């Protein structure tokens, strides 16, 4: 099972700290954030991790190494000085990609089973991707996804459109097939959102509905909230899909 982590952003909202420390290395609950993320992925069954890095990549490489102490095999893809966007960064890592893989963000921590989107993708040849979504209704950020009535398919995805009043939000973990990324133009900046929009329009994007709110460290408030949650829940196991939501914290 392979996960690809997008960890090459500039983290402008966290400056001045992130002028010298990559966002993935910010301390959360007494440890670099990436430690929590890699251990969570391993607990969910991932043993192969591709780290897409760019800005301040060296401290991440030096700290994580080959990933052995986290129980995973880590390989790196470096965008270099010109950032390629989320889809472009993954296209740059094409040689590392398995036939199916999970994508998550280097500033997201998700209290759910990261394996569920990839399991669903591997079980359903009728789709090109599986997106985890959360019934946000504008609470934590702008909702950007709308599932069908049964919650099986994402039927619309539009980033940056608060006027559409969607019910759900991209939770931050999407499983894709390698051929989807192979179609992205090489070396040109492009966003993962354009792929998600197209797949939803073509009814090729299945849904996995998460039950608990997401956490992020892209803002000082988000980092503080996650710090508190991890401190309180540091021994928590991966919640099974059947668990009822505990509600936002």
């Amino acid at each position: 099972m392979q996960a690809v982590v997008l960890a090459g952003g500039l983290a402008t909202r966290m400056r001045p700290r992130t002028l010298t420390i990559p966002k993935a290395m910010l301390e959360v609950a007494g440890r670099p954030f990436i430690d929590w993320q890699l251990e969570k992925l391993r607990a969910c069954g991932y043993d192969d991790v591709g780290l897409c890095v760019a800005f301040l990549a060296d401290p991440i490489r030096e700290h994580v190494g080959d990933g052995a102490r986290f129980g995973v095999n880590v390989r790196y893809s470096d965008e270099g000085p010109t950032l390629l966007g989320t889809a472009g960064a993954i296209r740059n890592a094409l040689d590392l990609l398995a036939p199916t893989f999970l994508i998550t963000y280097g500033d997201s921590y998700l209290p759910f089973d990261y394996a569920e989107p990839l399991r669903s993708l591997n079980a359903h040849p009728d789709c090109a991707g599986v997106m985890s979504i959360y019934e946000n209704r504008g609470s934590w950020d702008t909702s950007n996804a709308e599932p069908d009535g049964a919650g099986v398919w994402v039927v619309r995805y539009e980033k940056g459109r608060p006027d559409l009043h969607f019910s759900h939000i991209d939770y931050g973990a999407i499983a894709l097939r390698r051929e989807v990324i192979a179609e992205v133009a090489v070396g040109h900046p492009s966003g993962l959102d354009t792929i998600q929009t197209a797949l939803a329009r073509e009814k090729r994007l299945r849904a996995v509905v998460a039950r608990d709110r997401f956490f992020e460290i892209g803002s000082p408030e988000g980092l503080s909230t996650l710090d508190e949650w991890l401190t309180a829940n540091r021994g928590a196991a991966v919640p099974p899909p059947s668990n009822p939501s505990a509600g936002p914290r």
Side-chain angles (χ1 to χ4, degrees), residues 62-91:
E62 291 166 6
H63 177 73
V64 173
D66 63 4
R69 65 193 177 92
F70 302 101
V72 295
N73 176 48
V74 172
R75 293 174 292 164
Y76 298 86
S77 174
D78 197 327
E79 293 173 69
T82 302
L83 297 185
L84 299 171
T86 47
I90 302 165
R91 178 62 179 83

Side-chain angles (χ1 to χ4, degrees), residues 226-243:
L226 178 58
D227 185 277
E228 293 175 5
W229 189 89
L230 282 172
T231 299
N233 296 274
R234 129 181 358 254
V238 178
S242 59
N243 272 11

